[in-house]
Amino acid sequence: MTTHFFGDTAVLTGRSLRHITRSLDTIITTAIMPIAFMLLFVFVFGGAIDTGSDTQYVDYLLPGILLITVASGVSYTAYRLFLDMQGGIFERFQSMPIARSSVLWAHVLTSLVANLVSLAIVVGVAFIMGFRTGADLLAWLAVAGIMVLFTLALTWLAVIPGLTAKSVDGASAFSYPLIFLPFISSAFVPTESMPGPVRVFAEYQPVTAIVDAIRALFTGQPVGSDIWIALAWLVGILVVAYGFAMLAYRRKIS
């Protein structure tokens, strides 16, 4: 049964990836908005923002830009899943001897691949803009691991509206709050500069811990407890999102 699941998931993932390669504008569009934010904040607002450190502003904000890249990219997962549901693809798959959950996993893995490509584009542009890092190979692997977990967690969240939305707009609109969340965190300015209630929210929401952990890894500084808080948030969100997504899927196909 396990072999059956992995084989079916591989075949369906290949199908989804072929769709992506035929519309590379999806990946490019996903990367354009974060790059635009990066250009705007570095070259327009960067000179007026005091981060309380000697690092370049592009170094400071890149972790937040990476999270925005994924948050904007996962909306396409909800969109593609919704179209498959409306197009009757799921009903056709149900008539075939394939593992049912492999259909969802194919969309999730496609999202992971597409978002990793978008992240690579954004990091490449950041280097062109002057981003520099003292991170060694182990630190880069840790950053990659965090981003993979973040992408999986948000993608499984995206699966839920993809299965339950009543319209295309409803399926993809869920990502807007996720894109906005890094702006109320330590991604662009230190939380100490925020007014009381906003500061409390910013310091205790998951994005701040994730951003601080990635920033410390990039700068070669001790990550402290941030990485464990970030991992706890990511694993928790992933488990809960996966559970609700599978519940919604079972109700949909029952």
Side-chain angles (χ1 to χ4, degrees), residues 170-192:
S172 55
F174 92 100
S175 66
Y176 298 151
L178 299 178
I179 295 171
F180 183 70
L181 205 55
F183 291 95
I184 315 176
S185 73
S186 62
F188 295 95
V189 296
T191 56
E192 292 81 3

Side-chain angles (χ1 to χ4, degrees), residues 77-124:
T77 300
Y79 170 77
R80 287 190 294 266
L81 191 54
F82 177 83
L83 291 184
D84 274 357
M85 293 294 295
Q86 296 301 306
I89 297 294
F90 277 62
E91 285 77 6
R92 273 178 268 171
F93 285 153
Q94 286 180 55
S95 66
M96 301 177 183
I98 63 174
R100 290 189 173 186
S101 60
S102 63
V103 179
L104 293 185
W105 273 104
H107 280 279
V108 170
L109 293 177
T110 299
S111 171
L112 180 61
V113 172
N115 277 291
L116 289 177
V117 172
S118 296
L119 288 169
I121 294 172
V122 171
V123 170

